[in-house]
Amino acid sequence: MTDLTLAPNIAGPDDFYAELLAAHEGLTKAESDALNARLILILANHVGDREALRRALAAARHPGTDEA
Amino acid sequence: MTKIFEMPLYPYTRTADQDAAAPVRHTAMIVGAGPVGLAAAIDLAEQGVPVVVLDDNDRVSFGSRAICFAKRQLEILDRLGCGQPMVDKGVVWNLGKVFFGDRRVYDFNLLPEEGHHRPAFINLQQYHLEDRLVARVRDLQRQGAEIELRGGNRVQAVDDLGDRVRLGIDTPEGPYTVETDWLIACDGAGSPIRSMLDLDFVGRVFEDNFLIADVVMEAEFPTERWFWFDPPFNPGQSALLHKQPDGVWRIDLQLGWDIDKEEEKTPERVIPRLRQMLGDEVAFELEWVSIYTFQCRRMERFRHNRVIFAGDSAHQVSPFGARGANSGIQDADNLAWKLGLVIQGRAPEGLLDSYDAERIAAADENILNSTRSTDFITPKSEISRLFRDAVLDLSEHYDFARPLVNSGRLSLPSVYDGSPLNADDALEGGPARTRPGAPCPDAPAGEGYLLDRLGGAFTILTLDAEAPERVSEAGIDAARVALSAGDDPTGALAERYLGAARSAIYLIRPDQHVAGRWPAYDEARIRAAIRRATGQE
């Protein structure tokens, strides 16, 4: 069974958050949506593990339930 | 020049049935002389079963229709004695290009696996395929087989009489009645037989229209499959260009839902559309134009007592992935040997229920694949289009996104996992691809290829193992084909049939699917597997 990491795992959380927002700066809503879609696909491929991805999808869809 | 699809190939002629005092009773009748009906008829005739094919028309299909035939189907046609003429005529292709907007985002090469007699795919117009199937029927007739093609015979009524089926048939000279022990309905997606029996056909409708055009041109386009998402010449929609024999090109253009179909089919509308796509300098001539919509659906059951549905009459898929005619030919391949054994009294009727089990699972697999392709090609929600476009954008730059691009997952044969006909998999270390239920992959064997050695009867394939030359069990004869890993210096035979095992015995069905496999010959288990594979257990 693959665990999905839901404990803090990013060093420098404030910096990362700022980078995430900066990536969207100056973009229209449509461009931002497209960026997010690309980002999800890139990260999903990086994770690769289908079970971890399933758990991530469940955690995003229903935060706080046991499925993740 | 007269086109092949304009020539009557099996014109109506009067038969003795029409002058009989009481309805003549036949053994097997097939409705529909398309690829599925003809393949089933040839298969039955080769087993010595008399068969009559009825068709309301008298010629091959109008327009190219199905154009892409996969390796497994060519292997089935080889078994039916007409694979070579298809391959000789067909166009072999491996390369594809994917375009998004005005950019070519990537190229692919299907890189077919080595060590197979047949290519991964050929492109061949359905009318050429049917023409060669009809030629095979004529060959069999000359050899004395009882196989008959009746053009101009339209079935008007069908009655299940329990132990037989009664058909009312209309002809240019008026109606007549016949009876048949078995009826195979290969009469297409709009199956009149299915309607007459008032049977269900439910599934998902896709609200989209596609313009399909066969264009004759002397163009420099290479022999490749070109697929466009959202091209400048068809904004917001998709397009496909694919080469067929005789300088004919298949063009598919997605048109959307709210269109005037009759208007869009006129040359005044079609030619400017194609000109936009092909450029002003390309000279072309329209051979055939049609507009289609599609559904993904299947019947709940394919066998209804003595009426059995095969091909589009039983299940319908979107055209993406070439799973229509290809899966229909596999239906015929699956059904014909079972029906042959039942008709010859060598297997119980219950064997036919395994046709339902195996081919319904295959239909579900095809529907799943073609539905997914359709969702990718024609996204139906904002978010679905967002991800689709993101995949295409990324595919231009990163390899990882390319497997996510889905412009049709091309037809592969189903593995009948969980089939009631399968014996347990007893070959430790055996390759997964040849597990019970799997179609036998081809491999080099001596001077030729394995599948040509298997033929169309039960076979005991031995690899570096001893076994009797013939086993007869419960009315079934299985002859041995003895091979050794050394018969294929490339190692493909061993890789595909031995894996980590040192020796193997395979029981192979007449449709060349694996029924069971063992490390060594075990008389009792082989006999049990033969009984099981023929519904006698």
Side-chain angles (χ1 to χ4, degrees):
Chain A
M1 188 139 90
T2 314
D3 281 331
L4 175 70
T5 304
L6 291 169
N9 193 37
I10 299 174
D14 290 347
D15 291 342
F16 163 70
Y17 195 77
E19 283 163 8
L20 179 63
L21 292 191
H24 285 271
E25 218 162 282
L27 299 186
T28 63
K29 171 77 166 74
E31 289 165 343
S32 263
D33 287 345
L35 185 154
N36 279 338
R38 291 195 296 270
L39 183 63
I40 289 168
L41 293 167
I42 290 166
L43 294 176
N45 182 67
H46 181 78
V47 172
D49 186 300
R50 287 279 309 283
E51 183 56 29
L53 291 171
R54 262 191 295 272
R55 285 163 183 267
L57 288 169
R61 171 109 199 193
H62 301 291
T65 58
D66 289 341
E67 287 169 58
Chain B
M1 195 183 85
T2 311
K3 303 278 188 201
I4 186 176
F5 49 84
E6 290 166 347
M7 290 186 300
L9 280 186
Y10 37 93
Y12 166 78
T13 52
R14 193 171 184 86
T15 68
D17 287 7
Q18 288 161 269
D19 300 311
V24 172
R25 183 159 172 180
H26 292 272
T27 305
M29 296 187 102
I30 293 173
V31 182
V36 183
L38 290 171
I42 291 167
D43 206 333
L44 287 173
E46 288 202 326
Q47 298 173 63
V49 174
V51 59
V52 178
V53 182
L54 306 168
D55 199 291
D56 57 357
N57 208 329
D58 61 3
R59 61 198 66 185
V60 294
S61 74
F62 184 66
S64 62
R65 294 159 64 104
I67 62 156
C68 189
F69 295 90
K71 179 170 62 203
R72 181 61 204 146
Q73 285 60 38
L74 298 174
E75 292 164 353
I76 293 168
L77 295 168
D78 276 336
R79 188 173 64 69
L80 299 179
C82 53
Q84 194 57 45
M86 311 293 182
V87 176
D88 289 343
K89 182 72 186 173
V91 170
V92 177
W93 62 276
N94 292 311
L95 293 168
K97 289 196 174 106
V98 177
F99 300 84
F100 179 38
D102 54 5
R103 292 169 294 155
R104 183 169 129 199
V105 287
Y106 73 97
D107 300 354
F108 63 85
N109 187 340
L110 293 173
L111 279 180
E113 188 181 57
E114 295 288 316
H116 293 259
H117 186 191
R118 294 308 182 192
F121 300 95
I122 61 166
N123 281 2
L124 183 69
Q125 295 92 325
Q126 182 172 330
Y127 51 74
H128 282 315
L129 182 102
E130 291 180 9
D131 179 50
R132 281 150 185 79
L133 286 167
V134 170
R136 178 65 185 145
V137 169
R138 300 300 180 215
D139 278 349
L140 288 165
Q141 287 171 332
R142 276 190 290 274
Q143 293 161 23
E146 291 181 76
I147 179 169
E148 200 186 323
L149 260 178
R150 293 186 187 173
N153 275 244
R154 180 190 297 272
V155 177
Q156 299 265 52
V158 52
D159 285 301
D160 180 352
L161 303 180
D163 67 337
R164 64 196 192 282
V165 179
R166 180 177 291 162
L167 295 177
I169 298 169
D170 200 16
T171 75
E173 295 184 302
Y176 69 105
T177 302
V178 285
E179 291 180 353
T180 180
D181 293 345
W182 299 95
L183 181 73
I184 310 179
C186 309
D187 51 346
S191 173
I193 301 287
R194 197 183 57 227
S195 307
M196 284 179 235
L197 291 173
D198 202 19
L199 296 169
D200 61 274
F201 199 42
V202 293
R204 178 170 163 199
V205 184
F206 288 86
E207 294 196 341
D208 223 319
N209 291 287
F210 286 80
L211 174 79
I212 182 168
D214 282 347
V215 168
V216 185
M217 58 179 174
E218 295 304 322
E220 293 301 304
F221 296 115
T223 304
E224 297 174 353
R225 179 185 195 261
W226 288 12
F227 199 99
W228 288 263
F229 294 96
D230 196 11
F233 57 82
N234 196 22
Q237 314 283 3
S238 67
L240 172 71
L241 178 71
H242 222 173
K243 190 179 187 181
Q244 305 176 55
D246 311 328
V248 177
W249 299 78
R250 158 68 67 80
I251 293 170
D252 269 36
L253 292 170
Q254 185 192 359
L255 297 181
W257 187 234
D258 287 319
I259 59 155
D260 181 338
K261 288 192 199 183
E262 288 314 307
E263 166 99 19
E264 289 293 346
K265 254 194 287 195
T266 60
E268 293 74 31
R269 297 281 298 176
V270 173
I271 288 172
R273 270 191 190 282
L274 297 180
R275 200 154 283 306
Q276 261 193 304
M277 173 174 178
L278 301 169
D280 285 333
E281 61 282 6
V282 176
F284 64 86
E285 183 192 325
L286 275 181
E287 181 173 84
W288 174 66
V289 175
S290 175
I291 288 188
Y292 64 88
T293 56
F294 53 79
Q295 304 198 4
C296 288
R297 55 183 177 172
R298 70 161 167 86
M299 297 179 75
E300 194 185 342
R301 286 180 296 123
F302 299 168
R303 179 187 172 207
H304 291 265
N305 191 27
R306 287 170 176 271
V307 182
I308 304 167
F309 292 82
D312 282 356
S313 69
H315 45 76
Q316 202 185 351
V317 293
S318 84
F320 308 117
R323 287 164 183 272
N326 279 310
S327 69
I329 290 170
Q330 284 174 83
D331 287 349
D333 180 52
N334 187 286
L335 175 60
W337 68 270
K338 296 173 182 174
L339 186 57
L341 289 181
V342 169
I343 286 170
Q344 291 162 351
R346 292 156 64 205
E349 246 186 76
L351 176 59
L352 298 172
D353 291 330
S354 70
Y355 168 72
D356 255 1
E358 294 178 343
R359 293 312 298 169
I360 284 176
D364 286 345
E365 192 177 308
N366 285 317
I367 287 171
L368 178 71
N369 274 292
S370 90
T371 300
R372 286 174 170 178
S373 300
T374 308
D375 284 338
F376 192 88
I377 293 165
T378 66
K380 292 294 183 284
S381 71
E382 201 184 328
I383 193 72
S384 156
R385 179 172 291 269
L386 187 68
F387 275 114
R388 198 282 303 269
D389 289 353
V391 165
L392 289 169
D393 275 331
L394 292 168
S395 75
E396 186 179 2
H397 306 285
Y398 305 117
D399 284 348
F400 90 82
R402 292 174 190 173
L404 296 172
V405 175
N406 190 343
S407 68
R409 301 285 184 225
L410 295 165
S411 174
L412 290 172
S414 293
V415 176
Y416 303 139
D417 283 317
S419 165
L421 306 189
N422 293 351
D424 293 336
D425 185 358
L427 183 65
E428 204 175 311
R433 67 191 289 183
T434 41
R435 66 191 184 272
C440 286
D442 207 357
E447 298 296 299
Y449 285 90
L450 172 64
L451 294 188
D452 296 329
R453 304 276 291 273
L454 295 182
F458 273 96
T459 302
I460 296 171
L461 171 67
T462 64
L463 287 133
D464 298 312
E466 289 306 317
E469 290 308 308
R470 180 169 299 276
V471 176
S472 295
E473 172 67 18
I476 305 296
D477 284 326
R480 177 188 181 197
V481 170
L483 292 175
S484 163
D487 290 329
D488 172 21
T490 73
L493 181 66
E495 182 198 316
R496 291 166 200 174
Y497 287 89
L498 286 173
R502 298 178 60 107
S503 65
I505 305 264
Y506 281 78
L507 177 66
I508 295 168
R509 312 181 341 180
D511 57 8
Q512 301 177 346
H513 279 251
V514 175
R517 60 179 183 178
W518 305 268
Y521 184 73
D522 179 325
E523 174 101 17
R525 296 181 81 178
I526 285 273
R527 288 182 181 279
I530 292 174
R531 291 195 303 274
R532 188 176 178 89
T534 51
Q536 304 187 71
E537 224 185 32

